[in-house]
Amino acid sequence: MKVIMELGPKKISLQEQPQPPIQADEILMKVKINGLCQNDVRDYTGDTQWTYPRIGGHEFSGEIAQIGAAVDPEQFHVGDHIVKYILPNCGNCYYCKTHRENLCTQIYSSPTFHNDTGISGFLGMSQYIAVKATDVFTYPQTTSFIDMAFTEPLGCVINSVERADLHLGQDVLIIGGGVMGLLHVLVAKLQGVRILVSEPAAARRQLAQQLGADLVVDPTTRDAAAWVHEQTQGRGADVVFNTTANPQIAQQALACTAFGGQTFMFSSLHPNDPVAVDLGAVHSHEKFIKGTVSPTRSSYYQATQLIAKKIVNPRPLLDRIFPYQEAVAAFEYALRPETLKTMISLD
């Protein structure tokens, strides 16, 4: 089978590797398509702490090619459309036992991230992957592999929005109109809230409105915090989702948040510099600062339901699909700041 191997910063090698054998409780997944996340791009450029060689890719979808002897043949069938819950988790720690698998204490020490004696990575840029049946989520045969590849990022956003416990009629600010910001627009809109979006790119502001944003602003021409307060009778947003990686924007997010409101740091920061916080305002105005990361199994399942039942349509976020033979071009394209979701076909 073909794999897209990362040997180091901007060192991509298209290699032939043996097809992985499966254990009795596993399924052989034929990967059809993989979306490139900003974390994949950082692995490509070397802005990462994970080990090489690496087979990245965690936003992938495909079909069942083979079923292990202990896998229930009534539940899984060759040809089924599937995705995989991608986070390695021990199943035994406090967080796994309390349905917070995304916080498992063993995630970042696993070979998925650090493998000093072999290949690290989520393996989504391989044509075949051996998957535990317990990690498999099925889709209807009518659901496209392209739409299915949005499951993981949508699951991250569902986890984020659910943590906010939104209420009907609230004002919600989403900072950033990239893929994750726009997915926040789609999911938050289902909660009956008014959505404000701060995004400098005109095309992304327009798309945000098409997807359900009520008000948009260009933060390069207006003071975003002042604008938010103008739109909310001086209160600020009840909930702010910061989907950008800029530490300076993290400060702005808190300034946009109403008394008693919530500020969510959805994105990792690059560079991860310390951010000055007015803790006096946090105290006096009862502002809550929270973080969200990755999907839980529950939010992952909910993502499959929203996509399969066409409650959420992620297709407008697709920018371009490259064949696996053009992996370098795909990464270079994804590096461009104006692009949305870039995908690689493994067929």
Side-chain angles (χ1 to χ4, degrees):
M1 68 172 184
K2 298 294 185 183
V3 304
I4 299 169
M5 187 77 72
E6 297 172 89
L7 302 176
K10 289 203 171 187
K11 294 181 180 178
I12 297 290
S13 174
L14 186 61
Q15 296 186 4
E16 187 74 31
Q17 294 282 329
Q19 183 173 298
I22 59 171
Q23 304 298 317
D25 62 346
E26 291 182 328
I27 283 171
L28 183 65
M29 178 180 184
K30 177 175 173 56
V31 178
K32 292 289 189 176
I33 200 159
N34 178 86
L36 293 181
C37 168
Q38 278 302 307
N39 289 323
D40 292 310
V41 173
R42 292 179 186 123
D43 288 345
Y44 172 68
T45 61
D47 182 17
T48 181
Q49 53 187 308
W50 317 133
T51 60
Y52 299 105
R54 183 168 179 81
I55 302 175
H58 58 273
E59 299 179 2
F60 55 90
S61 63
E63 64 184 9
I64 295 178
Q66 184 182 343
I67 295 173
V71 175
D72 184 357
E74 298 296 320
Q75 187 174 5
F76 299 105
H77 316 86
V78 171
D80 282 352
H81 287 199
I82 61 171
V83 291
K84 174 189 182 293
Y85 182 70
I86 55 100
L87 288 178
N89 49 95
C90 68
N92 295 312
C93 71
Y94 170 82
Y95 300 102
C96 287
K97 294 298 188 185
T98 54
H99 310 293
R100 302 294 298 276
E101 304 87 359
N102 58 325
L103 300 179
C104 173
T105 57
Q106 296 188 26
I107 288 177
Y108 296 108
S109 61
S110 73
T112 299
F113 293 92
H114 288 278
N115 191 347
D116 293 330
T117 60
I119 299 168
S120 69
F122 291 99
L123 309 180
M125 285 185 269
S126 307
Q127 289 183 319
Y128 289 91
I129 306 175
V131 181
K132 294 293 183 185
T134 52
D135 287 336
V136 171
F137 292 75
T138 59
Y139 270 96
Q141 294 277 3
T142 53
T143 308
S144 79
F145 295 115
I146 295 171
D147 292 343
M148 289 165 54
F150 281 97
T151 303
E152 194 276 341
L154 182 58
C156 294
V157 171
I158 291 170
N159 179 51
S160 175
V161 172
E162 285 200 327
R163 298 290 170 207
D165 189 25
L166 300 179
H167 297 286
L168 295 170
Q170 284 186 316
D171 286 315
V172 172
L173 171 66
I174 297 165
I175 302 178
V179 172
M180 305 311 282
L182 293 172
L183 284 175
H184 271 83
V185 172
L186 287 169
V187 176
K189 196 65 180 179
L190 298 175
Q191 310 301 314
V193 298
R194 185 171 70 153
I195 297 175
L196 296 76
V197 171
S198 174
E199 164 57 46
R204 291 186 177 186
R205 292 197 303 274
Q206 182 179 8
L207 182 54
Q209 289 181 299
Q210 293 171 0
L211 297 178
D214 298 283
L215 299 167
V216 297
V217 68
D218 179 353
T220 66
T221 63
R222 294 284 304 274
D223 181 304
W227 176 83
V228 170
H229 282 80
E230 288 173 11
Q231 306 305 319
T232 57
Q233 294 76 52
R235 293 185 303 105
D238 300 295
V239 177
V240 175
F241 294 104
N242 177 26
T243 70
T244 72
N246 187 334
Q248 292 181 341
I249 304 301
Q251 289 180 314
Q252 182 189 87
L254 191 61
C256 292
T257 305
F259 291 7
Q262 302 177 84
T263 304
F264 281 85
M265 298 302 171
F266 175 83
S267 175
S268 56
L269 297 183
H270 289 268
N272 190 20
D273 294 333
V275 175
V277 176
D278 183 354
L279 291 179
V282 171
H283 161 69
S284 300
H285 303 153
E286 289 192 356
K287 294 188 178 186
F288 295 83
I289 303 173
K290 302 181 180 180
T292 56
V293 64
S294 302
T296 62
R297 286 182 180 271
S298 175
S299 67
Y300 207 83
Y301 174 73
Q302 288 174 297
T304 68
Q305 299 306 293
L306 290 181
I307 292 172
K309 297 173 182 177
K310 301 186 184 301
I311 298 170
V312 164
N313 175 21
R315 189 64 69 92
L317 307 185
L318 176 65
D319 195 312
R320 186 171 171 185
I321 300 174
F322 289 80
Y324 67 86
Q325 297 93 335
E326 298 177 17
V328 172
F331 278 103
E332 289 292 330
Y333 186 79
L335 268 171
R336 295 163 56 177
E338 71 274 14
T339 62
L340 289 173
K341 181 57 66 182
T342 302
M343 292 188 177
I344 296 177
S345 171
L346 275 297
D347 260 351

